Amino acid sequence: ASDTVNSVAWADRGNHIAIGTQDGLVQIWDMAVQKKVVEMSGHSARVASLAWNGDIICSGSRDRFILQRDTRVPVLLPERKLSGHRQEVCGLKWSPDKQLLASGGNDNKLLVWDQRMTSPCQVYSEHVAAVKAIAWSPHQHGLLASGGGTADRSIRFWNTLTHQPLHSIDTGSQVCNLAWGKWTNELVSTHGYSQNQIVIWRYPSLQQVVKLTGHNLRVLYLAMSPDGESIVTGAGDETLRFWNVFSRTRASQQDSHSVLTMFTQIR
């Protein structure tokens, strides 16, 4: 009863949501009936990150491991245990084609895993702080962005096809989250110490389109709406804020200016 929620992730389709807990459990809930349908142990510490690939759920933990498990028959099929990080796995994202998994750790490493292997196929060590923010581009195959923590403050871009670093930019603040626009070749980043800002960047020029302020503590959480037009941010100030950032109509007119208004705030 004392267990707490550490991470959440909606399945790619359907009504299932995965919940990672402080005690190292991964629970699958069917939200149509609001019932827990699966509970999986296996981690010895909190589950900080989750990522779905069809019916497969990947969980990253403070125990340094990533577990990959089939939620349909978790007891029958063996789990895959990915070992490569030396500290907590705080970020996990599948590539759009679901072939590669990117993981970020408190060991300042960004690792890329082929779904058929249990050791990383790529290791990037350029960040000098924890890598929680990870995002694969939906516009350019193999393009990966990652953001570093307070001692790093940079967003870095990687060509995972050639294993080459591309650009990097110093944002001036801890990078908490990254997400690519669905309709425009833009990237949104949310930040912590010291500015707690939300920034839209144009890619590949890395020109700052706009800086959004309003949160007064770290913007720890970011989610995009299914239509790709708006985002919601959650911060340590205990507010959720909804922003219109990526207009589909303007994108279709091939104008790169985003429509940027904060239209709701929930406290």
Side-chain angles (χ1 to χ4, degrees), residues 172-224:
S173 292
Q174 168 190 30
V175 185
C176 296
N177 296 279
L178 290 170
W180 291 89
K182 207 172 189 176
W183 310 112
T184 57
N185 202 7
E186 293 175 340
L187 184 75
V188 57
S189 58
T190 78
H191 298 269
Y193 184 81
S194 60
Q195 297 178 49
N196 310 311
Q197 76 273 38
I198 301 161
V199 182
I200 312 291
W201 309 88
R202 192 163 295 134
Y203 190 83
S205 68
L206 300 184
Q207 178 187 347
Q208 195 175 116
V209 179
V210 73
K211 179 158 78 172
L212 308 171
T213 54
H215 286 297
N216 53 38
L217 285 170
R218 285 190 298 170
V219 188
L220 290 166
Y221 302 103
L222 167 71
M224 190 173 289

Side-chain angles (χ1 to χ4, degrees), residues 37-51:
V37 291
V38 177
E39 182 169 276
M40 295 174 282
S41 56
H43 286 296
S44 60
R46 71 182 184 189
V47 177
S49 48
L50 295 162

Side-chain angles (χ1 to χ4, degrees), residues 228-241:
E229 295 205 9
S230 52
I231 58 169
V232 58
T233 52
D237 58 16
E238 299 181 9
T239 64
L240 290 177
R241 294 170 190 247

Side-chain angles (χ1 to χ4, degrees), residues 231-250:
I231 58 169
V232 58
T233 52
D237 58 16
E238 299 181 9
T239 64
L240 290 177
R241 294 170 190 247
F242 294 78
W243 314 78
N244 274 331
V245 289
F246 300 118
S247 167
R248 188 174 183 177
T249 50
R250 291 181 76 101

Side-chain angles (χ1 to χ4, degrees), residues 131-145:
V131 182
K132 177 179 176 288
I134 303 170
W136 293 89
S137 171
H139 310 292
Q140 188 177 328
H141 182 57
L143 176 60
L144 178 62

Side-chain angles (χ1 to χ4, degrees), residues 168 260-261:
S168 77
L260 295 154
T261 50

